[in-house]
Amino acid sequence: MTVDSTSLDSLVIERFGPASRRTRVATTVLRPVVRTIVEISSVLARPWNVGLAAMTDYAGVLQRAPAGLSQRPVHLADVDLEWVWHSTAATPESAAGAVLYFHGGAFAAGGLRTFRGMAARLSAATGLPVCMVGYRKLPARFPAIVADGVRAYRYLLARGFAADRLVCAGDSSGGCLAFAVPLAAGAAGLPLPGSIVAASPWTDFDGAARRESPNRRTEVFFSAAAVQRLVRRFLVDDQRGRSADAPVDADLRGLPPVLIQVGTTELLRCDAELMARRLATAGVPCRLQLWDRQPHGFPVFGVLPESRPAITEMARFIQENS
């Protein structure tokens, strides 16, 4: 795998590739099947039935637990958390830092079970325990989902973790929360984490760029129309009658260093690139990694050859900024 790097003031762009044959075959086979399922689901989704998507988390019981995994549930008043750490990593009691992880799933699917493997691999790579957040799902409104993330962040601070030794990380919609939670925490007067790591982050609730993106034909999992159906039906501000505030539209000044990873053929590449540009404009150090022909959320999928080096890059960035 080759790596090319370009530096533009506070923005560093790195290109990884070429894509492995296994990944190219997998995406070709999966694209027509998965996109059809997601398209139909997005058409049918309504406030009264979207909660059924959360049941996909139970598929996590079918996954084989990674060797060396330890886990411990934490039940707060309004949100469930789960500590996950690898046998080679520090425990939650002995660690000086931790990763606060927000799972993907379009704010509707997946959960602590289905992303436990990702958390374990991230813990093994970083040597840190990972605290996963079981935030409320749709039809809960976006501010309520962000509030769950802030509660989890407050929990880590209350345990004695120094803010600059904490990392907010996530993939897809969880990547959105990896930005939204520090922004909300800062607005509440809390100290910011030491770094932010986002894989394939969904950061823009305005679908104009996605509708024009050439990647709308190469995206494996969903269409631009499917994304905007979720925005129109669920990610709205009831007081103002428009989309909730997305991280890309926030005042990003003062955020800690950021790593963004995205596949070159992903639909959300435009979200990632726009977020990186706005971070750079705000003076926030940002490393944008473009991975050749990788599917959405590729670091999560341990079966893909590129997953391990992507997580290694996450760990390197975290270690450099903590």
Side-chain angles (χ1 to χ4, degrees), residues 294-316:
Q294 294 305 302
H296 179 69
F298 69 96
V300 173
F301 306 113
V303 296
L304 296 181
E306 290 81 3
S307 173
R308 178 174 293 181
I311 292 177
T312 298
E313 287 295 318
M314 290 182 183
R316 180 169 67 90

Side-chain angles (χ1 to χ4, degrees), residues 16-62:
F16 292 74
S20 65
R21 183 175 184 274
R22 184 190 303 178
T23 295
R24 288 184 279 114
V25 170
T27 55
T28 300
V29 172
L30 288 174
R31 184 178 296 116
V33 177
V34 177
R35 279 190 64 145
T36 299
I37 293 172
V38 173
E39 192 71 18
I40 293 171
S41 300
S42 72
V43 170
L44 297 177
R46 294 293 187 278
W48 63 269
N49 67 10
V50 70
L52 294 173
M55 295 180 66
T56 57
D57 188 38
Y58 289 102
V61 301
L62 303 176

Side-chain angles (χ1 to χ4, degrees), residues 129-273:
V130 176
C131 183
M132 291 199 295
V133 185
Y135 55 83
R136 277 173 284 184
K137 307 288 199 306
L138 301 180
R141 293 305 190 191
F142 185 65
I145 296 172
V146 174
D148 287 347
V150 175
R151 288 189 189 94
Y153 187 65
R154 287 182 182 273
Y155 161 78
L156 294 182
L157 294 176
R159 281 184 60 96
F161 287 105
D164 61 359
R165 301 302 298 274
L166 296 176
V167 183
C168 283
D171 64 280
S172 190
S173 55
C176 176
L177 294 176
F179 291 107
V181 169
L183 287 167
L190 298 175
L192 295 178
S195 59
I196 294 172
V197 173
S200 305
W202 179 14
T203 60
D204 187 8
F205 297 159
D206 180 352
R210 287 189 290 270
R211 286 192 296 272
E212 300 300 321
S213 170
N215 287 3
R216 66 187 185 278
R217 292 183 291 270
T218 56
E219 168 60 47
V220 175
F221 291 108
F222 44 78
S223 68
V227 176
Q228 287 313 113
R229 288 187 193 105
L230 288 179
V231 172
R232 288 196 307 269
R233 293 174 187 169
F234 303 106
L235 300 182
V236 295
D237 186 311
D238 291 330
Q239 263 76 50
R240 293 178 293 177
R242 65 175 182 82
S243 296
D245 291 330
V248 78
D249 297 317
D251 182 352
L252 304 174
R253 291 174 297 177
L255 283 181
V258 172
L259 169 66
I260 299 176
Q261 296 178 332
V262 70
T264 58
T265 51
E266 283 192 60
L267 182 60
L268 293 192
R269 176 178 176 174
C270 55
D271 288 51
E273 291 179 328

